[in-house]
């Protein structure tokens, strides 16, 4: 349905090569040249600057067309996806792995909506820390995973899903800290709760603190706990501080049970990623990923 000439332009613009675009589209190089020329005649402009050494670059008009081509191709992709959903019956078992924060605070709503739309798909969810889920994927115990953290395995394909923010929190009734803003070095003065080794949250915190010349081992760790819910409950009965996902404390902040403490110069953001082994994913895995990306989490 999308104008093939636009697809040709998009291939050339991404590759900056007529030869590579021809190979990608399984057409001849003269055909690529012909389609580009037709577009340039239609819009009365040129989209590529050609130099003597056969290199090409986008003109200002080419950059504008590329931006619109990307949007159009994305829209047509969504159109094909939604129309295909109307014509297919999806069923079977989909095994998903999710790290703790994702499983507790992101996935429940997505899974409920997915079940309403695709009730014949039996979703089986495995929960663990980021390291656990990566190992489960490599052992083929799950088909796809959703993880936090920044670890990278060459055997795994990582695809961005959502962005998260890690914030410093304390109980609203904490008697040891009255400040709303701390300097990084002041973190060393308070007791902390931390997640277990292998946790994606702990990994991201460690990297961010290192940039402030603070090691996790420098903190006064009062307790190491295996999940955010345990940390939140402990916080409410102690004067500890903890770094947690903003997604995990929306209710507690609203109910004034916890409060956020800013740390000067410390901004901890991280992506949640879909992970899968390299190669073609199953149709159910692809279906779930596309569906999840469309849902609003808040």
């Amino acid at each position: 349905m999308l104008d093939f000439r636009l697809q040709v332009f998009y291939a050339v613009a991404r590759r900056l090569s007529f030869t590579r675009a021809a190979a990608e589209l399984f057409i001849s190089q003269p055909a690529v040249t012909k389609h580009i020329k037709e577009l340039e005649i239609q819009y009365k402009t040129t989209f590529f600057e050609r130099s003597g050494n056969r290199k090409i670059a986008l003109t200002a008009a080419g950059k504008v067309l590329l931006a619109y081509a990307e949007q159009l191709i994305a829209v047509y992709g969504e159109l094909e996806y939604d129309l295909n959903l109307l014509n297919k019956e999806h069923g079977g078992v989909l095994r998903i792995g999710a790290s703790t924060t994702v499983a507790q605070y992101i996935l429940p709503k997505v899974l409920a909506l997915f079940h309403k739309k695709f009730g014949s798909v039996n979703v089986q969810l495995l929960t663990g820390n980021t390291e656990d889920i990566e190992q489960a994927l490599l052992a083929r115990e799950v088909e796809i995973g959703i993880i936090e953290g920044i670890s990278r395995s060459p055997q795994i394909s990582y695809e961005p899903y959502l962005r998260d923010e890690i914030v410093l929190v304390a109980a609203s009734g904490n008697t040891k800290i009255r400040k709303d803003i701390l300097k990084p070095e002041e973190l060393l003065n308070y007791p902390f709760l931390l997640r277990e080794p292998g946790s994606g949250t702990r990994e991201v915190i460690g990297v961010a603190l290192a940039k402030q010349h603070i090691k996790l081992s420098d903190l006064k760790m009062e307790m190491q706990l295996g999940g955010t819910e345990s940390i939140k409950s402990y916080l409410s009965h102690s004067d500890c501080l903890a770094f947690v996902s903003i997604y995990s404390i929306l209710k507690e902040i609203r109910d004034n049970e916890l409060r956020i403490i800013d740390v000067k110069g410390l901004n901890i953001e991280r992506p949640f990623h879909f992970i899968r082994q390299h190669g073609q994913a199953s149709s159910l895995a692809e279906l779930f990923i596309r569906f999840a990306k469309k849902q609003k989490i808040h």
Side-chain angles (χ1 to χ4, degrees):
M1 189 180 295
L2 185 64
D3 189 333
F4 185 67
R5 295 177 303 173
L6 195 60
Q7 295 182 50
V8 173
F9 165 81
Y10 182 65
V12 176
R14 283 191 304 112
R15 302 282 190 175
L16 289 178
S17 168
F18 282 71
T19 303
R20 291 177 181 173
E24 179 181 316
L25 297 168
F26 300 102
I27 60 177
S28 68
Q29 188 171 331
V32 171
T33 303
K34 176 178 175 290
H35 287 304
I36 296 300
K37 190 64 178 175
E38 287 177 356
L39 275 179
E40 291 179 333
I41 291 172
Q42 178 180 342
Y43 290 106
K44 298 180 176 62
T45 187
T46 57
F47 297 122
F48 298 99
E49 295 175 346
R50 298 161 177 83
S51 59
N53 57 0
R54 294 187 178 182
K55 288 187 177 180
I56 62 173
L58 287 166
T59 63
K63 292 176 182 178
V64 170
L65 183 58
L66 176 59
Y68 278 100
E70 288 174 338
Q71 294 178 47
L72 288 169
I73 288 169
V75 168
Y76 274 101
E78 292 299 316
L79 173 62
E80 290 182 3
Y81 170 74
D82 286 335
L83 290 178
N84 285 337
L85 288 183
L86 298 175
N87 299 321
K88 289 183 179 179
E89 274 294 324
H90 296 279
V93 177
L94 176 61
R95 295 167 299 158
I96 301 173
S99 56
T100 310
T101 301
V102 178
Q104 288 183 318
Y105 308 109
I106 305 297
L107 270 187
K109 176 181 177 181
V110 176
L111 289 175
L113 294 172
F114 185 79
H115 180 73
K116 283 183 180 179
K117 193 171 184 68
F118 307 105
S120 56
V121 177
N122 177 14
V123 177
Q124 299 176 358
L125 180 64
L126 173 70
T127 303
N129 63 35
T130 291
E131 187 177 294
D132 295 333
I133 300 306
E134 288 185 328
Q135 291 304 313
L137 181 75
L138 294 174
R140 300 188 183 278
E141 295 171 10
V142 297
E143 294 171 64
I144 56 172
I146 310 175
I147 61 167
E148 56 213 66
I150 54 178
S151 58
R152 284 287 185 273
S153 167
Q155 299 168 275
I156 294 174
S157 170
Y158 296 81
E159 182 179 345
Y161 175 31
L162 295 171
R163 293 207 67 79
D164 183 26
E165 182 181 3
I166 305 296
V167 293
L168 181 65
V169 295
S172 295
N174 189 309
T175 60
K176 287 191 176 180
I177 183 166
R178 300 297 184 187
K179 296 181 178 181
D180 293 322
I181 302 176
L182 293 178
K183 296 177 182 177
E185 58 270 23
E186 291 182 285
L187 295 172
L188 306 180
N189 301 330
Y190 300 95
F192 267 84
L193 304 176
L194 291 175
R195 286 284 304 276
E196 78 287 358
S199 157
T201 302
R202 180 176 174 135
E203 179 187 20
V204 171
I205 294 166
V207 170
L209 290 178
K211 293 177 182 178
Q212 303 292 329
H213 309 292
I214 298 173
K215 299 176 183 177
L216 281 178
S217 57
D218 295 335
L219 299 177
K220 295 178 181 178
M221 185 174 69
E222 177 165 318
M223 190 76 65
Q224 182 175 283
L225 297 170
T228 303
E229 286 300 307
S230 298
I231 287 175
K232 291 194 299 182
S233 181
Y234 194 110
L235 280 176
S236 67
H237 297 91
S238 77
D239 288 326
C240 288
L241 305 182
F243 286 102
V244 297
S245 164
I246 190 68
Y247 284 110
S248 70
I249 57 166
L250 297 177
K251 178 180 181 299
E252 286 78 11
I253 295 297
R254 185 175 61 248
D255 294 343
N256 198 33
E257 296 171 6
L258 296 176
R259 64 187 180 95
I260 295 174
I261 301 166
D262 291 325
V263 182
K264 289 183 179 179
L266 190 65
N267 183 30
I268 310 179
E269 290 191 347
R270 63 173 175 184
F272 292 137
H273 282 102
F274 286 109
I275 60 171
R276 43 187 163 178
Q277 292 199 44
H278 291 291
Q280 186 66 36
S282 72
S283 59
L284 286 183
E286 191 64 40
L287 174 71
F288 182 80
I289 290 172
R290 295 286 295 274
F291 180 87
K293 283 186 172 183
K294 287 187 170 186
Q295 308 311 311
K296 294 182 179 180
I297 301 304
H298 295 295

